[in-house]
Amino acid sequence: MIPLTPTGFETRVLRIPLVTPFETSFARQTEREVILVRAVTQDAEGWGECVTMPVPLYSSEHTEGAWDVLHRFLYPALLGNGPVNPLLVAGRLEHVVGHRMAKAAVELSLVDAGLRATGESFASFLGAERTFVPSGVSVGIMSTLDELLSTVQDYLDQGYARIKIKIKPGWDVEPTRLLRETFGDGLLLQVDANAAYTLADARLLRRLDDLDLLLIEQPLAEDDLRQHAELAKQLRTPICLDESIVSAKVAADAIVLGATQAINIKAGRVGGYLEAARIHQVALAHGIPAWCGGMLETGIGRAANAALAALPGFTLPGDISASDRFYAQDITAPFVLDEGRIAVPTGPGLGVEVDPVRLEEVTVRSEWTRAPSRPGRTS
Ligand code: NPG
């Protein structure tokens, strides 16, 4: 990829209403607050999405923290220091510990700019082998079983290829069993606990074993690698780690320990799409199925996710739903379902364009950061 000289970054906090509230074991969201990064370089502009939430409940990152680290530490490492190879951005930012979601957004904005400059698509750059990816949908915790049934029925009618339901203590075996009994053996079904259980719940979780689930996602805490390995010995349902997998290194450790039998790959959680692609390589090399997770992305992140999910090791349907699963109006043209699949964008870079009017409508805060003028220069 060609080296780029970034001249500035625009950072925006967006708040986009959700079509229906989305409840997990850790939060109930009615709108998506997200940070958008626009990189301006001498050759082209590019976009990146920072998938933090306003509160640090899914991971330690959150909007205000990401905003601060972007402005005080990440942009200064890239502005006014000469050309930057977008593929080496992670190395330039390595001295900053953690803050993977913020780093992922900056890296993506420069990779997108680099690809737009040469006309290559993100999918082709990553090595995508598919033009469509199967679309799974993530279903939040509902107030009643009837509401769950009608919601899932509606998604199946729309053609979604796989259903994932969120679970938590008190909302686990019963709703899952009901879905299996109602929709039959052919339903591709999985559950996501978002770290809501402990190893002491092994007996309860074993009751999911006869429901023929694709997997159970992140039953225990983020740093419980060994305990996940213990739990795996007691369950037939494959364990799939999400929150725990923060790098390719951890992914390799988790696989070797027997803590994970599938991997949810989310670029934000692991510091960027390049690290995400490396995790996919690790999974592929170990014969571990991978799939692309979602964080209620706008069209920018959704485009990047679709490209990632088109790599050969993404063998399970991911959380890449149509845009209208979450948003009545996105900031790009919507992604739509086509026979239970999402088309992988083929245009330069991410292959999607931001609608400036919609962007303005949903922006609640914005700021430009420009490269410092060089010493000795007057203009
Ligand atoms: O389809 O984008 C989507 C949502 C998928 O359930 C989903 N994401 O734990 O994986 C998760 C969950 C999540 C969403 C986590 C937002 C954190 C923030």
Side-chain angles (χ1 to χ4, degrees), residues 22 26 29 53 58 138 164 166 192 194 217 242 264 266 294-297 319 321 326:
F22 183 58
F26 58 88
Q29 294 167 262
M53 301 198 304
Y58 167 81
S138 174
K164 143 171 155 181
K166 295 287 186 177
D192 183 2
N194 285 114
E217 201 179 337
D242 170 9
N264 167 342
K266 283 181 186 159
M295 302 221 14
L296 290 74
E297 283 82 356
D319 282 342
S321 51
F326 292 112

Side-chain angles (χ1 to χ4, degrees), residues 79-360:
L79 290 171
N81 291 323
V84 179
N85 180 339
L87 303 186
L88 303 180
V89 166
R92 285 264 194 123
L93 306 179
E94 206 177 7
H95 59 287
V96 175
V97 175
H99 296 282
R100 294 183 174 89
M101 293 175 183
K103 290 175 177 175
V106 176
E107 181 189 81
L108 183 61
S109 70
L110 287 168
V111 168
D112 183 33
L115 293 171
R116 286 183 198 259
T118 56
E120 187 180 5
S121 76
F122 190 46
S124 132
F125 162 75
L126 286 176
E129 292 189 350
R130 273 169 284 183
T131 51
F132 285 89
V133 293
S135 179
V137 63
S138 174
V139 181
I141 292 164
M142 305 272 153
S143 345
T144 65
L145 293 169
D146 279 348
E147 196 189 348
L148 175 69
L149 280 184
S150 64
T151 305
V152 169
Q153 181 68 62
D154 183 39
Y155 288 138
L156 293 175
D157 292 344
Q158 292 178 44
Y160 279 106
R162 177 277 270 154
I163 299 290
K164 143 171 155 181
I165 63 163
K166 295 287 186 177
I167 59 168
K168 67 175 182 183
W171 181 268
D172 41 39
V173 180
E174 199 188 357
T176 312
R177 169 162 301 128
L178 181 66
L179 290 181
R180 177 58 77 216
E181 284 171 1
T182 309
F183 298 107
D185 292 344
L187 176 70
L188 297 184
L189 180 63
Q190 64 193 55
V191 295
D192 183 2
N194 285 114
Y197 297 89
T198 71
L199 196 50
D201 297 310
R203 261 179 64 181
L204 165 77
L205 296 173
R206 224 172 18 233
R207 292 175 54 208
L208 295 168
D209 271 350
D210 58 5
L211 301 179
D212 197 21
L213 302 180
L214 286 169
L215 52 91
I216 175 172
E217 201 179 337
Q218 196 72 36
L220 313 181
E222 179 179 326
D223 57 358
D224 274 350
L225 272 196
R226 190 192 62 77
Q227 296 201 31
H228 275 108
E230 279 305 314
L231 181 63
K233 289 184 205 148
Q234 301 182 40
L235 298 184
R236 281 200 318 273
T237 308
I239 291 178
C240 171
L241 292 181
D242 170 9
E243 285 91 328
S244 297
I245 307 294
V246 294
S247 65
K249 221 159 32 175
V250 175
D253 283 353
I255 292 170
V256 171
L257 275 171
T260 200
Q261 289 79 51
I263 299 185
N264 167 342
I265 303 182
K266 283 181 186 159
R269 198 193 62 223
V270 305
Y273 284 85
L274 303 180
E275 184 73 359
R278 279 190 286 275
I279 294 179
H280 149 270
Q281 292 298 344
V282 170
L284 198 56
H286 284 86
I288 293 279
W291 54 283
C292 181
M295 302 221 14
L296 290 74
E297 283 82 356
T298 72
I300 291 295
R302 203 165 291 273
N305 286 350
L308 181 70
L311 295 182
F314 284 82
T315 52
L316 293 171
D319 282 342
I320 309 176
S321 51
S323 308
D324 69 2
R325 153 73 184 89
F326 292 112
Y327 307 116
Q329 197 188 348
D330 203 342
I331 56 165
T332 66
F335 282 82
V336 293
L337 274 191
D338 179 344
E339 295 174 1
R341 306 166 310 167
I342 294 288
V344 178
T346 53
L350 294 175
V352 288
E353 301 307 324
V354 172
D355 170 356
V357 176
R358 182 61 179 156
L359 180 64
E360 212 49 51

